[in-house]
Amino acid sequence: MEDPVQDGVASPATPGTGKSKLETLPKEDLIKFAKKQMMLIQKAKSRCTELEKEIEELKSKPVAGGTDDIIKALTERLDALLLEKAETEQQCLCLKKENIKMKQEVEDSITKMEDVHKQFEESQRNYVKEIENLKNELVAVHSKHSEDKASLQKELEEATKKQLELSEQLKFQGDSEDNVKKLQEEIQNIRPAFEEQILCLQKQLRAATNEKEKEITHLQEVIESNSQHYQKDINSLQEELLQLKVTHQEQVKELMCQIEASAKEHEAEVNNLNQLKENLVRQCEATEKDIQEKYECELENLENAPSSNHENQMCPLVLQEDAFVEQVVNEKVKHLENTLKELESQHSILKDEVTYMNNLKLKLEIDAQHIKDEFFHEREDLEFKINELLLAKEEQSCVIEKLKSELEDSNKQFCCTIEQHNKEVQSLKEQHQKEISELNETFLSGSEKEKLTLMFEIQGLKEQCENLQQEKQEAILNYESLREIMEILQTELGESAGKISQEFESMKQQQASDVNELQQKLRTAFNEKDALLETVNRLQRENEKLSQQELVPELENTIKSLQEKNEVCLVSLSQKDTMLQEFEAKISSLTEEKDIFVSKIKSSHEEMDNLHKKYEEEEKLIIELREKVEQTSQYNSELEQKVNELTGELEETLKEKDQNSQNLEKLKIQLKTISEDKEALSSEVKSLYEKNERLSSEKNQLNRDLEAFLSQKDFMLKEHLSELEKKLQLVVTERDNLSKLLENEHVQKLSVKTQLYGFLKQMESKISEENKEQDVANVLQAIGESLTKINEEKHNLIFQYDKRVAELEKKIECLQEENLVQCEELRTLLRDHEQEKVLLRKELEETLSRKEVLQSDLLEMKNANEKTRLENQNLLSQVEEASQKLCSKDETHDVKEQCFVKELGNLRLSLEQKEAELEDVKAELLLLKDTLEKSPVENNQSSLVKELEEKIGYLEKESKEKEEKINKIKLVAVKAKKELDSSKKEAQTLREELESVRSEKDQLSTSMRDLIQGAESYKNLLLEYDKQSEQLDVEKERANNFEHHIEDLTRQLRNSTFQCEKLSSDNEDLLARIETLQSNAKLLEVQILEVQKAKAVADKELEAEKLQKEQKIKEHASSINELEELQLQLQKEKKQLQKTMQELELVRKDAQQTTLMNMEIADYERLMKELNQKLANKNSKIEDLEQEIKIQKQKQETLQEEMTSLQSSVQQYEEKNTKIKQLLVKTKKELADSKQAETDHLILQATLKGELEASQQQVEVYKIQLAEITSEKHKVHEHLKTSADQHQRTLSAYQQKVTALQEECRVAKAEQAAITSEFESYKVRVHNVLKQQKNKSVSQTETEGAKQEREHLEMLIDQLKIKLQDTQNNLQINVSELQTLQSEHDTLLERHNKMLQETVSKEAELREKLCSIQSENMMLKSEHTQIVSQLTSQNEVLRSSFRDQVRHLQEEHRKTMETLQQQLSKVEAQLFQLKSEPTTRSPASSHQPLKNLRERRSTDLPLLDMYAITREEGEGMETTDTESVSSSGTHTQSLEQLLNSPETKLEPPLWHAEFTKEELVQKLSSTTKSADHLNGLLRETEATNAILMEQIKLLKSEIRRLERNQEREKSVANLEYLKNVLLQFIFLKPGSEKERLLPVIDTMLQLSPEEKGKLAAVAQGEEENASRTSGWASYLHSWSGLR
């Protein structure tokens, strides 16, 4: 019973603790948590049902014994139930909290989902755009494909032309082949003799090598003993090498300098080494002669190709090899020089031995070089074969791709016919599906789901793409890291190779690494071969399936042909396997040398292995995709059943297929013809030779190419399809020819090399053994014999060559078949990708379905939570009802208790009385017994005894009756006590419940008050709503009217705007036309001039080119002549060569006797080299001349084409000119019309703009009114909704209460009926019991105990029944509460959904608004930026303008200053003149202006400011003076006096005519005005003069002050003296001593005369007040004119 309770408690604890965690939890965890809670609720329900079952079992069981135990168990269970109830309430509270949280989370998730929806929509749009872009790209690719086809056809035509040219060349080469046959016959004759000699020489070589190895070991020991002394120098050099890796060239220079220094020190030893060098050079020349002979033989064999081209090929190779040998020899010689110098300096005794050992060492080095060359050539052969394999593989891939493309075309045609038939079926299906989908969309809003699925698909594909890109990036990073490692290794290898002492070993290591790489390449080739075999097997199975269907007979034929080709491929592959095994046998011999280098490159190989593993994993993925393809093949079989019905229409497609097959056959024939053209591609053999040399020299590039090939295999197949289709035909033919030529050359080289090396070794051995004075004839004879053998070998090689050509042709066919197979594989891969797409879509649909399931689970959880809420509400309502019942029960209990107490009191009193009576009776009985015993038996008293006995019997009966009554009363009392106890307990529980109920009642009462207030407010709202609805109707009518008005206005606006736009567009078009016409006219004029110029230039160029053509024709003729001469020279030189060969045979015989002939042979070899070089140069010149001739021909053709094009363009320009002249006339007319139209349009625009602005203002006003009305409407609707919800809640609660009360009434009635029936049965029983007791008084005494126990048990059972009924009632109440809670939950859900929908719609609106606002904001920002830029530009313009203005003002200011200074000078001059003139004026007239001046000075001086004066120059003063003058009328008299003065007398008028009064009055008025004006001017001049005088004084004082300051600075140098003087002056008493110091102070401080006077007064001791009045103010004149 306890464990589940604990679970129930524990489970809600988790959400309580993890309030923050719930928000962070994912959806799956939330669902699990909700499911756990549901499980707990179900457990609680199951426990309730179990308890109910147990109660029923207890009811059904008969009550035997152990009632106390049962009661205890029941009480314990009741307690447990109460605990569980408390726990469930706690859980409910927790669930409520969690529900709130869940709601919040749901809202958050909804918002997130909406954001995600928007993102999905945006991404969908983006993807739609991307799809459109991809479609466009597809169209472009198709167009490219068609262009490629056309180019391929052109190339085919060119190839046919080349074939014809080559066939002509073959005729010329027929003659040369006859000569070759003759030489081959001679070679066959000489061959067996040479083979015997070669065997002997090989035996001698082995013996010599063993001896030389022993000598080498001895020499190495000696060198090691000597090298220990010089290890320090070597170490220092190595450190320098390591430090100077980057500056390698500088290091080489330094080393050269060191070598030169060492050479100067040991010139004597160098002379000895020079002799050794000369010997080496002779031997090298001998080897070079042999090599030349070998290459000449090869040249003669390869005269199938043009002889000149082939010789040009071979000569550079010989020169390169000679240079390489010379470099190696020079390096070795330098090394030996250093070692010899060191040995000779230390070991002078062993000089002779060392020279002998050096000679031996040189011979050994030559042998080593031969071995190295052999090794190098073998390695080149292996590399070449690997390259051939790679090329073959590429050819296979090309052919496969081509065949795949052909197959795809055929399949497309096949599919098109199937699709045409399927389209009709699909159209019906699609119609049916559309109807179904439309119905589904109406029910399920399918468009949204499809959007979601598409978005999920896109996301999935994006993720896949990102994963693939990440994998690609990882692979690229790995590749780059490998590359870096390889580069580091290469640098290290380069450094190690740089070490001169370990050069030979490093070469061996490099060869070993090359062998390793070749092995890896072979392995990759084997792996690819296995993959191709697997694909062939699969294709065979598919072909077998297709053959079983027997739909297309031609497909069977093609399959058979493919099978035959596959068999041929297998044969060729087996041949390749044998070749590879041979290669492996050769490689095994090189493994011993490889072990040293393998240890260094293990790390790089491990990384390569990792890459291979990744590659294998990708291949596994491909295999899985192929398995998927098999599934699709099953689907294809079903489709083919449908195809059987449509075979009739397939025949048309078969005809098209036949045509395609015919075209293919033609193409194949063309390919074969091109492949037969071997000699035409001999020019391209050169390029491949150069490539092979580069490949041998550049290993790093090979490694990188291999890695790139492995990493970019998939991309190459897709990207380079079009390019490879173009180059396929050319490359196949080229590579066939090249592979054959190269194989022949390599075989010939190997044979010739072995013979020549054997011959050289034999020669060397014979020279050392035989005498030196034999003839040269023997040597020449031996050479002749060797030539005959070589010719025989060449004859055999030609037969092998032909065989291999046939084999290679077979291989090409096999490769083509393999290419077809690969094409089919690629198609299957594409289908797999499509299937994967379908699967991904299915997965997305599944995820969507899962999401929907999760959403349904969430809804269920919400429903469960809402149900729990409803249950809680029901429980609350039941608690309220229970509280009401308890109140009524408490009242009845109180009444009953009072009655019981009263009855108990009465019973106790009666019991006490009866007990007292019994005691009295007992006492009387005892007294009677005593008396009876004491007194004797008397007969008299017998009667008394009888009476007493009767009394006793009567009393006993009464006592028994009383005892029975008492027992009954006791039983009743016991029952009452038990009932009291139980009632007390119930009363306590009820009181507790009452308290809780009262608190809840208070809460409910408050809520009821709120509800009442809400109802009242609701009524008020209804009234307001009615009023507002009426207002709304009125406003709606208004709004409708306004809307109609607005619509009319908008129509007018639209019409007007449309007209405006039309007019503006017409305007713009007209302007644009005018501009274009003007520009065209100008351009045409310019073009006409240019064309005329170009015509003149072209005529000149034509004449020049004609002259050039004639010259070049002449040059061509001369070059042809030179060619013929060169060919004649070639033939002559060939004859000379044959003669020299014969002479060489004679020389070889003489060489056995004498060593002197070696020098002559070297001279011959030099001559041969020079001749070969000359031949090569002449051939190159011939080729250059041919190329120049071709270029000149092309130029001629281009010039002729240009001439024709220029003539046509001239005609076109003339036609255009005439048209343009006509257009100009038309445009002039149109211009006039357009100008008139413009004026009309402008007038219309002005009127329309005015109307527009007015209408826009009205629209804005209406919008504001509408917004206010809508907001009020929304508020009213919200109030209505809330009030309606509240009413519904109250109604549902009241209904539930009514139903609960009715059920209680029924239960109470049933209980009452049961109690009445029980009471009546009880009465009957009581009567029966009383009768039995009267009859059987004795038996009653025995069964009293049992009855009591039974009654007690019955009471307990009754109590238990009551408790059961209570629990049932509680359960019913809980159920009713649950129902109410569920109903409330449903209502809340509906509300919640409505709210959600509203919020979604509102959010959508808000987002639209947001988007619009954002766009407006962006527009505003852009406008703002534009305005800012405009303002900045304006600001800069204003700045510049203001600066200019300021400059102008400054210039004007300067000018005014200059003018004022001039005026000053003039005024000063006038003043001097006035002073000099006699003062004849009256005293009144002289004094008044002075007074005025003084007054004016007194008023104006405090306003003076020096800086203001200097800047404004009296401009402001003029205004102030005019005002002062106007105010003061004192100056008028002085001016009149001046005018009336005798000095200024006016002459009388010359004419005396009488004037009228009016004329006189006019003259008077004019004269008075002029006089006033003159007076004003005079006053102004006087004021300005006064100001200027003051300014002059101030300036003079300032100048003097500055002069004094300058002089003061000179005297201030001696400050101590000045200090002492001042101190003396201050402290001395006034008198003569102070006066003596005055001149010193004056000279030191440069005092002014005023200051001097003041100091003199101070020195004499006069009053200090005078000085104080002035004080420091005298010094203030220097600052800003304050005085």
Side-chain angles (χ1 to χ4, degrees), residues 790-805:
I790 286 155
N791 285 319
E792 286 173 0
E793 284 173 358
K794 281 182 181 177
H795 190 67
N796 293 321
L797 288 164
I798 287 157
F799 286 117
Q800 289 175 2
Y801 174 80
D802 293 324
K803 287 176 185 177
R804 283 188 181 175
V805 166

Side-chain angles (χ1 to χ4, degrees), residues 1104-1239:
E1105 279 173 1
K1106 280 175 184 176
L1107 293 165
Q1108 284 177 0
K1109 194 180 177 183
E1110 287 170 359
Q1111 286 175 2
K1112 281 178 181 175
I1113 289 157
K1114 288 172 185 176
E1115 285 173 0
H1116 184 61
S1118 64
S1119 63
I1120 290 158
N1121 293 321
E1122 283 174 0
L1123 257 172
E1124 287 171 356
E1125 287 171 4
L1126 286 164
Q1127 283 175 355
L1128 291 163
Q1129 282 178 2
L1130 257 173
Q1131 287 172 0
K1132 286 174 185 177
E1133 281 169 359
K1134 279 179 185 176
K1135 287 173 184 177
Q1136 284 176 0
L1137 270 169
Q1138 286 173 0
K1139 286 175 185 177
T1140 50
M1141 290 297 283
Q1142 289 170 2
E1143 286 172 358
L1144 275 166
E1145 285 174 0
L1146 296 166
V1147 168
R1148 191 174 64 78
K1149 288 173 185 177
D1150 293 330
Q1152 291 172 0
Q1153 296 170 0
T1154 59
T1155 54
L1156 292 166
M1157 295 303 290
N1158 286 324
M1159 295 293 287
E1160 290 177 359
I1161 289 156
D1163 293 325
Y1164 279 123
E1165 284 175 351
R1166 281 173 193 167
L1167 284 165
M1168 286 288 287
K1169 281 180 187 176
E1170 286 170 0
L1171 288 165
N1172 284 320
Q1173 283 174 358
K1174 284 176 183 177
L1175 276 166
N1177 291 323
K1178 283 172 183 178
N1179 286 319
S1180 62
K1181 282 177 184 177
I1182 289 154
E1183 285 176 356
D1184 292 327
L1185 288 164
E1186 284 175 354
Q1187 286 175 358
E1188 283 176 359
I1189 289 153
K1190 286 177 184 176
I1191 289 156
Q1192 284 169 1
K1193 282 178 183 177
Q1194 287 175 359
K1195 280 182 181 178
Q1196 271 187 354
E1197 288 172 357
T1198 51
L1199 285 164
Q1200 284 174 358
E1201 286 172 357
E1202 283 174 359
M1203 282 288 288
T1204 52
S1205 63
L1206 284 164
Q1207 286 172 1
S1208 61
S1209 62
V1210 166
Q1211 288 174 0
Q1212 287 173 2
Y1213 284 132
E1214 285 172 356
E1215 287 172 359
K1216 282 179 183 177
N1217 276 321
T1218 53
K1219 287 177 184 177
I1220 287 154
K1221 283 174 185 176
Q1222 290 172 1
L1223 280 166
L1224 276 165
V1225 174
K1226 286 180 184 176
T1227 48
K1228 281 176 184 176
K1229 289 177 183 176
E1230 285 175 357
L1231 265 168
D1233 296 328
S1234 63
K1235 281 176 183 175
Q1236 287 177 358
E1238 267 186 87
T1239 52

